[in-house]
Amino acid sequence: MELERLPSNLINEEILARFELETLCTVACVSKALRFSVDTQVLPFLSSLHFPESLIPDANALYHVLSRCTRRGRKTHSLKTLNLNCQRLHHSCLTLLLGKQVEQLNFFCCSLLSSQFLVSIGKNCPFIRVLTLELADGGLPHVFNRDLVDMLCRCHFLECLFIKIRGAEVDAKAFNSIECFLPKTIKLLKLKPMLEENAICLANKLGVGINFSAIEDFSVTVSPTSYGCTLQYLSLVLDVISDRLLLTIASSLPLLVELDLEDRPNKEPSPHLDLTNSGLQSLGSCHHLSSLSLIRSRQNYQVSFKRINDMGMFLLSESCKNLQSVRLCGFSKVSDAGFASLLQSCQKLKKFEVRNALFLSDLAFHNLIGTQCALVEVRLLSCNLITSESVKKLSSSNSLEVLDLCGCKSIADSCFSSISSLQRLTSLNLTGADITDSGLSVLGQRSPPISYLSLRRCKRITDKGISLLLCGEIVRTLAALDLGYLPGISDNGIFTFVAAGKEITELSIRCCFYVTDSSLQALATKRRFQDGSKQLKQLDLFNCTGLSAEALWLLKSPSFSGLHWVGIGETRLASKGGAVITEIRKERPWLTLCIDGCEMGCRDGWHLHTLESF
């Protein structure tokens, strides 16, 4: 092998040391020499351990990797940064990762952990600076609160804290009064969920000690030692977003750079507890504010910010002209004029997202043509008045990389000529659009470097459209394709994918009822034998009722050797798999067989899973 002829120090320090964990494991399987280099010269000297998002290790896999990250003669590893999905890991496993050297922990989907793990972090990681923890259940609010306070009292250097509790019944009182124990070093704070009244106390407490007269010149850097806590990023999920909350945040946290607020009301907020134009205007006091997200979720109750209209948007756009990112959802009374004021006044705007806007139409983007547009990311979700004309206006931005039009049902084939001119576009979501096979022909032949494409619920797309799409330039860059809920897709469309989609590693064909065992057989055969094709890492087969129970055998080794996640819920593979599923799980501990109907990679609903779900 040519690589082995290079000097060992060059291989270890300049090549292997730059690889991710998944790539290192692959390289180690090539030869004994490379395995020796990875085990003795690379893994023991890693300072960061990052498991890919699609890999969900169990205890044995974690022990296996961790043992190789420990140098000879030492009992513990020297890892400072750890990122992994903890869905299959218990408290005892994760405690082995903790130590005084740890500075950053990002633990996601911790479905088997309790708040007691916070106490372990406090005892073992006194110098930790960054902590991200997603828990499935906070337990009793007073117990969680006690354990969190215990950790905060020990971690005096904490700069970034993100704690998210998921569950059907979550008590937001779990974060009550923690503002008294947060270290003054804190710069980024994400807490989900939280009560509005506790959030107000939090903002008031963090603002204590700031000398407002001393920071009138916002070009001067303010240090925590001089003026108390200098929180720059605040993200909260609340019961309600009110004027009182925004006024408190604006007056107490003038150094705020990013503000992310989402509320989930259980009923219509009373007038004195709701957000109005005055609350939006108060954000002008945050002269550093560059990113703003205000979301009113419909998760608990169908409600919107009914007391905010175009005037509120005018006031916001005039007082916060330095905004670079805006995310808005639930502003049902705002029309084109209000949204257009943000696009026109905020000259540095790069990210613009609006959801469920009843009165947002193409007119909001009318003045983009002929102006210097710096937009990089545009997401217009479930905005029914948006048509292909908006895409034409947005095509004037030479910097656009992400275009998400999910739920914009009036988008038609005419949009593709404009999309084709976006030379930097890498992500395109056309879920629910009124596009046809002819439009896909245009996209395939004159495509920008798109790596992610969603055609979900585009009901006029058929096998012919997939053939026209994948015969063009787009196949060179396309890595993820969503064909979910397409009644016109059958085995023929999947055969086209097998023949042409060499770069695609993520494929969703959920609820494609005419896909049969032949498609799965073709996918397995292609990925095993055809040279030049990348292996599938994630495959969504949810509710593909045309698959038989016998097709489950295709998921056994050696087929689909690169597969990390497969969704088989509501299929015969799940209902009649039985012993075969158990056998596959033992044979392939890295593979997640999700039977719960989650979206790709179990990004939603992970807290509902039990060990038996995998």
Side-chain angles (χ1 to χ4, degrees), residues 310 313-315 317-318 336-346 364:
D310 288 339
M313 288 299 160
F314 295 154
L315 295 171
S317 61
E318 286 301 312
D336 291 324
F339 293 119
S341 67
L342 289 171
L343 293 168
Q344 296 300 318
S345 297
C346 303

Side-chain angles (χ1 to χ4, degrees), residues 3-4 6-17 34 37:
L3 183 60
E4 294 178 340
L6 297 173
S8 58
N9 62 332
L10 179 62
I11 295 175
N12 298 331
E13 298 175 14
E14 299 298 329
I15 300 177
L16 296 182
L34 287 176
S37 293

Side-chain angles (χ1 to χ4, degrees), residues 233-266:
Y233 185 113
L234 179 62
S235 177
L236 304 172
V237 172
L238 306 145
D239 53 336
V240 66
I241 299 173
S242 66
D243 274 356
R244 194 162 65 106
L245 174 63
L246 259 64
L247 287 166
T248 305
I249 290 174
S251 61
S252 301
L253 305 172
L255 303 180
L256 210 58
V257 175
E258 298 187 36
L259 178 61
D260 179 359
L261 300 177
E262 177 183 343
D263 69 2
R264 298 170 180 175
N266 289 312

Side-chain angles (χ1 to χ4, degrees), residues 422-550:
L422 296 170
Q423 297 304 310
R424 297 187 181 181
L425 191 68
T426 58
S427 177
L428 177 61
N429 189 341
L430 296 173
T431 296
D434 187 31
I435 57 176
T436 69
D437 295 340
S438 298
L440 291 188
S441 175
V442 176
L443 181 63
Q445 294 300 326
R446 296 183 291 160
S447 174
I450 296 174
S451 60
Y452 169 81
L453 175 62
S454 175
L455 302 174
R456 176 177 291 202
R457 298 187 187 277
C458 297
K459 297 182 179 180
R460 299 173 69 184
I461 299 297
T462 68
D463 292 335
K464 180 181 177 182
I466 302 305
S467 177
L468 293 171
L469 174 72
L470 297 181
C471 71
E473 294 294 317
I474 196 171
V475 295
R476 297 184 179 183
T477 58
L478 192 60
L481 180 61
D482 189 341
L483 303 177
Y485 301 89
L486 298 187
I489 297 299
S490 68
D491 290 337
N492 289 331
I494 304 305
F495 295 158
T496 300
F497 167 84
V498 170
K502 294 185 177 182
E503 298 297 316
I504 298 177
T505 58
E506 296 183 14
L507 175 65
S508 173
I509 49 176
R510 60 165 41 207
C511 296
C512 290
F513 305 124
Y514 297 106
V515 169
T516 71
D517 295 1
S518 298
S519 289
L520 203 58
Q521 177 69 54
L523 289 169
T525 303
K526 178 212 178 197
R527 300 303 169 180
R528 183 179 175 188
F529 296 114
Q530 185 172 331
D531 294 334
S533 295
K534 291 187 177 180
Q535 295 179 328
L536 277 176
K537 294 182 178 180
Q538 299 191 80
L539 177 62
D540 191 353
L541 303 172
F542 174 78
N543 203 25
C544 287
T545 54
L547 297 174
S548 70
E550 287 71 28

Side-chain angles (χ1 to χ4, degrees), residues 184-185 209 222-230:
K184 290 186 176 181
T185 53
V222 181
S223 67
T225 56
S226 301
Y227 303 111
C229 178
T230 56

